Amino acid sequence: MARTLFKIFILLVFFVTSTPLFAQTDKALDHFVKAENLFNSKQFTKAIDEYTLAIKYDSTQEKYFLRKAKCQVALKQFNNAIDTFLEGLSVFPDNGVMNFQIANLYLRKDYLDDAIYYFDKAFKFNETEKIKVVAKNQIIMILFKQEKYDHVRSHINDVLAVAPNNYLALYYSAKLYNMNEEFPKAVDDIHKALEYVKSNNKSHLARFYYELGYAYYNLEEYDKLEGIIEKANYGSYRKLVLKFTPEYKYWIALCYYEIYDFEKSTDLLYTALKQDQSNLKVHELQIKIAEVTSDKTEQIQKAHHMIDNLDDDQMKVKTYQDVATWQLGSEHYEDAIKSCNETLAIDEYNYIVKYTKAVALFKLNRTKESMEVLKELVDYNGLDVKTKSKYYFTLGIVAMKEKEYDLALHSFKSAKLDKTYKVAADEVISYLKSKEDSI
């Protein structure tokens, strides 16, 4: 009898306590149905109010949070949607969809660290391969944007463990290998990526072929480059693939030849010839360097003897000018400065001689003096574009050595006016911009 009474008591308690819960659930469901009808008629603001009430009466339904947030996104109330997902995730931390959606919202608002955190959760808690792959690929792209390259490889491995043929992950894998100078691995991964990429759009494929070309170029497998360059030569990659060509090296070498940096010019020409032994312009520039740097002792002695017997100032200026140039090419920098000073004593505005003096001063590491002369030269009126570009480029080189980077950047930009200096100036500008944080 006692046991029977106890069972009746338990049933009564269950009935009394569960009845309000059922009522709460029913209320929640009523508000959810109303919300759904409002959502379908695109009355999103009113729908949000009903979803809020549904959640109030029953917070155990994941779909209530998801639908409410969907309304808020439709109204572009992104912060409110984030708050809704955070509330939902406090109840359902393992919900893969919520983690994925909030990650996308944080990405949209450029809260990148938060986006990474929730994309990682989305990868962990989603069973769908597509969402897992998208989540990790988003992390990879964010980390590249943040230049946190040391953190990327593990996420690439996660994608490829789930989807070994994912061309986007393979692309970033190859890119990372190239950055780390692991060029054979980069070649392997890009070849795999190209097997799986579905697009036939040439501009879309350009980035894949650029990475492949970059690897072949650094492996000095130049015979494989020609077809690759053609396929990568689209959009923003046009300028980049130009760097793989011997013509690019020639133009930079010519620029440094013009400013008497024969060592750098010679190194560039050597690299160009490794790619194309038959390049006539490269051979011609090598010959010019050999001529300029050859021993001019006998010519200089004869010129000095001539100067001693000259009465015409113009002839003296011309002869001193030649002597200074020969001395500069022969690396007799102190003598070159003396000859320049002799010339300038007669013709103080001779810009050709002043430039020779500026270069000789730079070669002697008297950079501040060199810079002052070059600053004066770039302000000369009446100079042709090529000459002025030459002076600006040289000023940029000197300013870099003096760590006056703003002046250097301005000078290189000004040097781009002439095509002889444009390629080399762009190269140095890219270098300066890549080092902005460290210089």
Side-chain angles (χ1 to χ4, degrees):
M1 183 69 179
R3 285 184 179 180
T4 303
L5 289 171
F6 180 72
K7 287 179 180 178
I8 292 170
F9 174 75
I10 293 297
L11 286 170
L12 286 169
V13 170
F14 174 77
F15 178 76
V16 170
T17 55
S18 63
T19 299
L21 289 174
F22 288 134
Q24 293 279 80
T25 304
D26 288 343
K27 278 186 179 180
L29 187 58
D30 287 343
H31 286 295
F32 178 72
V33 171
K34 287 179 184 177
E36 288 289 278
N37 290 331
L38 290 166
F39 178 87
N40 290 331
S41 61
K42 297 186 178 180
Q43 298 181 61
F44 300 123
T45 303
K46 291 181 179 178
I48 288 168
D49 292 337
E50 293 298 329
Y51 285 127
T52 301
L53 289 169
I55 292 167
K56 177 183 175 184
Y57 290 118
D58 183 5
S59 61
T60 65
Q61 301 298 318
E62 295 164 304
K63 62 185 175 182
Y64 294 178
F65 295 98
L66 288 165
R67 300 293 283 175
K68 178 182 176 181
K70 190 169 184 177
C71 283
Q72 290 165 325
V73 170
L75 293 171
K76 297 186 178 179
Q77 297 176 0
F78 303 121
N79 286 338
N80 290 344
I82 287 171
D83 289 340
T84 298
F85 281 129
L86 288 173
E87 184 185 354
L89 287 168
S90 69
V91 184
F92 310 103
D94 299 348
N95 185 287
V97 177
M98 283 192 203
N99 278 293
F100 185 72
Q101 295 293 351
I102 195 173
N104 278 307
L105 288 170
Y106 277 128
L107 179 60
R108 185 169 192 153
K109 292 182 67 63
D110 213 30
Y111 296 165
L112 301 182
D113 290 336
D114 290 318
I116 288 171
Y117 175 80
Y118 285 104
F119 276 130
D120 211 30
K121 293 280 188 184
F123 176 83
K124 181 178 178 181
F125 296 124
N126 267 289
E127 296 300 322
T128 310
E129 179 185 305
K130 184 178 178 181
I131 294 179
K132 290 173 84 73
V133 168
V134 170
K136 279 291 179 175
N137 276 333
Q138 288 287 12
I139 292 174
I140 292 164
M141 288 187 280
I142 292 169
L143 290 171
F144 263 91
K145 183 178 180 180
Q146 292 179 319
E147 299 182 359
K148 295 179 178 178
Y149 306 117
D150 291 344
H151 300 173
V152 174
R153 179 57 63 188
S154 63
H155 298 290
I156 290 172
N157 292 341
D158 285 340
V159 176
L160 296 177
V162 175
N165 60 348
N166 185 265
Y167 67 84
L168 194 59
L170 287 165
Y171 164 77
Y172 279 107
S173 178
K175 189 176 180 72
L176 193 61
Y177 280 134
N178 271 337
M179 293 172 70
N180 294 328
E181 300 184 3
E182 297 180 71
F183 304 119
K185 290 180 179 179
V187 170
D188 289 343
D189 276 356
I190 281 294
H191 277 308
K192 287 178 192 172
L194 286 168
E195 284 179 32
Y196 300 121
V197 67
K198 296 173 184 177
S199 175
N200 291 318
N201 186 313
K202 291 180 179 179
S203 60
H204 174 67
L205 292 172
R207 60 175 171 166
F208 293 87
Y209 285 109
Y210 170 74
E211 294 300 333
L212 184 57
Y214 186 89
Y216 280 143
Y217 177 80
N218 284 283
L219 288 167
E220 298 187 8
E221 296 183 19
Y222 302 124
D223 57 317
K224 296 178 181 177
L225 268 178
E226 189 172 342
I228 301 300
I229 288 172
E230 186 181 339
K231 291 175 180 177
N233 195 28
Y234 290 91
S236 60
Y237 292 94
R238 286 182 186 276
K239 282 186 178 180
L240 295 175
V241 295
L242 180 64
K243 296 181 180 183
F244 302 154
T245 64
E247 287 76 17
Y248 181 82
K249 294 290 185 292
Y250 166 78
W251 278 108
I252 299 180
L254 178 62
C255 173
Y256 282 100
Y257 162 80
E258 292 284 350
I259 68 166
Y260 294 88
D261 191 339
F262 302 123
E263 185 177 351
K264 185 153 190 169
S265 184
T266 299
D267 288 344
L268 287 160
L269 293 173
Y270 174 74
T271 304
L273 284 173
K274 283 202 291 186
Q275 286 184 254
D276 182 8
Q277 283 285 344
S278 64
N279 193 304
L280 186 60
K281 289 192 294 187
V282 172
H283 285 294
E284 286 175 347
L285 189 52
Q286 281 186 319
I287 293 167
K288 283 184 180 179
I289 292 172
E291 288 174 350
V292 172
T293 56
S294 63
D295 186 9
K296 301 288 194 309
T297 303
E298 189 175 340
Q299 288 169 269
I300 291 168
Q301 287 174 347
K302 287 180 179 178
H304 277 138
H305 180 70
M306 187 187 297
I307 290 167
D308 291 337
N309 294 290
L310 283 174
D311 295 322
D312 187 297
D313 282 349
Q314 284 189 332
M315 285 297 296
K316 277 187 177 182
V317 166
K318 177 66 174 69
T319 309
Y320 269 127
Q321 185 175 304
D322 289 341
V323 168
T325 303
W326 295 333
Q327 289 166 330
L328 182 61
S330 303
E331 299 183 1
H332 299 153
Y333 304 127
E334 294 283 5
D335 292 338
I337 291 169
K338 287 177 185 176
S339 297
C340 289
N341 289 337
E342 293 284 358
T343 313
L344 294 170
I346 305 168
D347 181 7
E348 63 178 314
Y349 299 110
N350 188 309
Y351 60 88
I352 296 171
V353 172
K354 280 195 173 185
Y355 179 73
T356 302
K357 181 179 179 179
V359 174
L361 287 166
F362 178 66
K363 298 287 187 180
L364 291 168
N365 291 318
R366 292 162 64 178
T367 47
K368 288 189 183 297
E369 295 172 73
S370 175
M371 195 157 57
E372 291 308 311
V373 176
L374 288 163
K375 282 181 182 177
E376 185 183 331
L377 280 171
V378 295
D379 287 335
Y380 266 35
N381 293 321
L383 296 176
D384 62 89
V385 173
K386 182 175 181 179
T387 301
K388 198 149 194 171
S389 294
K390 175 180 177 176
Y391 294 169
Y392 267 120
F393 188 85
T394 312
L395 178 57
I397 296 291
V398 177
M400 272 182 70
K401 190 161 186 180
E402 275 294 302
K403 297 184 180 180
E404 293 200 17
Y405 298 114
D406 289 340
L407 174 61
L409 195 58
H410 169 75
S411 300
F412 289 126
K413 285 179 179 177
S414 300
K416 289 170 62 175
L417 292 171
D418 183 75
K419 68 176 184 178
T420 305
Y421 300 94
K422 185 179 186 310
V423 173
D426 276 333
E427 177 94 351
V428 187
I429 289 168
S430 295
Y431 169 79
L432 286 173
K433 288 183 174 178
S434 72
K435 300 291 183 183
E436 275 180 334
D437 295 335
S438 59
I439 61 176

